[in-house]
Amino acid sequence: MGEQNTKEISLIIPCYNEQESLPAFFKEVTAVLEKMSCTYELLFIDDGSSDRTLSILREMAAKDKHVRYLSFSRNFGKEGAMYAGFCNVSGRYVAVMDADLQDPPELLPEMYHLIRDEGYDSVATRRVTRKGEPIIKSFFARQFYHIINKISDANIVDGARDFRLMKREMVDVIVVMSEYNRFSKGIFGWIGFKTYWLPFENRERIAGETKWSFWKLFKYAVEGIINFSHVPLSIASWFGMFMTMVSFIAIIFVVVRKLLFGDPVAGWASMVCIITLIGGVQLFCMGIMGQYISKTYTEVKKRPHYIVAESNLEHDEKVR
Ligand code: UDP
Ligand code: MG
C-alpha cells in the first residue's frame, strides 16, 4: 500500500446476497462521501453470495474507481468479511457498514467531524430503538447485552452497531487480534480507546431479507459470551461446591436417621431424583467445558479466516 494510495476514509461493506440493496446503498453512500470532499474508497466484501452480488460489484468497479471488491470462495460469515476488510483497507479512518442501509450514511459527516476535530479515536453508533424488529428478537438481544456486560470485561453497549469510524491505530490493533472465533463488538470494546457514542433511530433494511436467522444469532451470542468471559467455566466449580455441601448435610441426615430409626427400605423415588439431577448437572458442566475446548481447538488449528477467489485490489491478502 503506497503512500499515494492512502485514502482519508475507507468503508468496508460485507455483502451476502445483497443484489437488491447494493445499487441504492452505493448511490446514497457516494452522494454523502462526495459532499464531504475527502479521498475515500469503498471496499465491498462479497461473502460467497449465490445471487448477482459479485457481477453487480464488477460493474460498479468498472464505472467508479472508488470501488474495490474482494470475493470469497464461499460464505465465511460477516465476521470473516469484516476481518478481510480490516486487513485490506488503507484509509486513515475506517468504518464497517451494512449493505442494507441500516447504518445511515448521513451520519458519516458528523462522525468524521467528531473523530478529526474533537479528538476521539473512534465514533461508534448505537440504535436507541429497535422499531420494526420482531419483539422476541429485541427481547433476547436485550438479555444478551445485559448478561455479557455483567460477566465479561468487554464493555458492550446495548444496541451497538458494527458501524463505527475508527482511527488507523485502532484498525492496526484489530488486524493484530487475529483470533479465529471473532466477535467484533467485543473486540472493539476490549481494545479501549476514546469512543464517542452516536445514537440513532432504527431503520428497516431497504430491500432483501435479513441473513441472520434466530438460530444463527443465538450461536453468535453464545460465541460472544464464550469469547469474552470465563464466568460460565466457574459455574461448574460453584455447582460442584454447592452439591458437595448439600451431600454432606444429606450424609449426616441419613446416618442420624439410620442410628435413631433403623433402616426401613424406602426412598427409591428420592434416590432416582438425586441421581438424575446430579447426572444432569455434571453433563451441563461438561458441556460448558466442551464449548471452551472446541473454541480452543479451532484457534489452535489456525485455519484462515477467509479465502479470496477474486478481487480488483492490487495487493490483497488472498488468505488470512
Ligand atoms: N452478511 C455477510 N455474511 C453473512 C451474513 C450477513 O456478509 O453471512 C452481511 C449482510 O450482507 C449485511 C450485514 O452483514 O451487509 C448485516 O446483515 P443483515 O442485514 O442480514 O443482518 P441484520 O441487520 O438483520 O442483523
Ligand atoms: Mg441489516
Side-chain angles (χ1 to χ4, degrees):
M1 274 173 261
E3 225 10 77
Q4 72 279 14
N5 281 337
T6 307
K7 301 286 187 284
E8 183 74 359
I9 294 183
S10 296
L11 295 185
I12 298 166
I13 307 108
C15 311
Y16 180 46
N17 294 340
E18 296 285 4
Q19 60 178 15
E20 283 97 4
S21 17
L22 269 181
F25 172 84
F26 176 66
K27 218 174 117 197
E28 264 203 44
V29 156
T30 305
V32 171
L33 286 167
E34 287 294 335
K35 263 198 222 132
M36 287 168 67
S37 59
C38 57
T39 56
Y40 67 92
E41 65 178 350
L42 304 172
L43 176 57
F44 293 88
I45 317 289
D46 166 34
D47 185 11
S49 302
S50 53
D51 65 355
R52 292 194 57 251
T53 298
L54 178 57
S55 46
I56 294 176
L57 291 180
R58 286 195 200 108
E59 284 162 27
M60 277 169 22
K63 278 193 218 130
D64 188 327
K65 62 176 176 17
H66 298 103
V67 176
R68 279 133 208 246
Y69 68 88
L70 289 176
S71 180
F72 287 176
S73 60
R74 65 167 170 86
N75 180 247
F76 279 86
K78 189 186 174 187
E79 284 292 342
M82 287 196 284
Y83 190 62
F86 287 126
C87 294
N88 288 286
V89 286
S90 61
R92 248 157 57 101
Y93 302 104
V94 178
V96 178
M97 280 181 98
D98 285 3
D100 56 8
L101 283 175
Q102 281 192 300
D103 297 325
E106 58 279 13
L107 293 181
L108 278 170
E110 193 182 349
M111 292 162 84
Y112 182 55
H113 161 71
L114 283 164
I115 204 168
R116 207 190 44 176
D117 309 324
E118 304 287 329
Y120 288 97
D121 299 307
S122 114
V123 181
T125 61
R126 73 189 185 93
R127 299 188 281 188
V128 283
T129 58
R130 286 177 169 269
K131 206 168 66 228
E133 201 182 62
I135 294 169
I136 186 107
K137 189 171 170 183
S138 309
F139 173 77
F140 278 103
R142 240 174 237 128
Q143 295 311 312
F144 166 72
Y145 287 112
H146 185 69
I147 292 172
I148 197 158
N149 278 318
K150 273 243 159 84
I151 66 175
S152 82
D153 47 8
N155 170 34
I156 302 170
V157 176
D158 184 4
R161 305 275 307 166
D162 290 324
F163 180 33
R164 66 160 83 198
L165 193 62
M166 286 175 284
K167 273 190 175 164
R168 166 77 2 215
E169 289 82 345
M170 264 181 96
V171 176
D172 290 341
V173 178
I174 292 167
V175 170
V176 168
M177 291 183 66
S178 60
E179 58 211 62
Y180 186 81
N181 299 289
R182 299 184 74 76
F183 181 66
S184 286
K185 271 176 219 168
I187 293 176
F188 299 155
W190 190 89
I191 60 178
F193 288 98
K194 232 169 102 187
T195 300
Y196 184 88
W197 285 96
L198 203 61
F200 72 96
E201 300 265 321
N202 188 40
R203 288 226 197 149
E204 293 187 41
R205 68 162 34 242
I206 43 157
E209 270 170 21
T210 175
K211 309 300 178 301
W212 294 84
S213 64
F214 187 78
W215 180 233
K216 215 169 159 188
L217 270 177
F218 180 76
K219 285 202 297 192
Y220 189 56
V222 171
E223 186 116 311
I225 291 174
I226 303 272
N227 283 345
F228 282 93
S229 170
H230 294 166
V231 169
L233 269 182
S234 52
I235 287 177
S237 29
W238 286 113
F239 255 134
M241 255 192 255
F242 176 72
M243 282 293 182
T244 315
M245 257 156 49
V246 169
S247 53
F248 264 121
I249 297 167
I251 287 169
I252 294 169
F253 174 76
V254 169
V255 169
V256 170
R257 198 178 61 165
K258 155 105 180 141
L259 291 178
L260 291 184
F261 305 107
D263 189 15
V265 179
W268 183 85
S270 54
M271 190 71 86
V272 169
C273 294
I274 292 166
I275 290 173
T276 47
L277 175 72
I278 294 180
V281 170
Q282 279 178 338
L283 280 180
F284 177 69
C285 294
M286 273 169 66
I288 293 177
M289 283 191 255
Q291 288 284 338
Y292 283 88
I293 293 172
S294 82
K295 296 277 176 243
T296 315
Y297 182 52
T298 49
E299 290 299 341
V300 166
K301 278 196 283 192
K302 291 225 176 298
R303 293 233 170 116
H305 297 83
Y306 62 86
I307 299 166
V308 174
E310 182 188 326
S311 92
N312 73 340
L313 300 185
E314 283 162 38
H315 316 283
D316 59 328
E317 309 235 20
K318 287 270 185 268
V319 189
R320 177 132 173 180

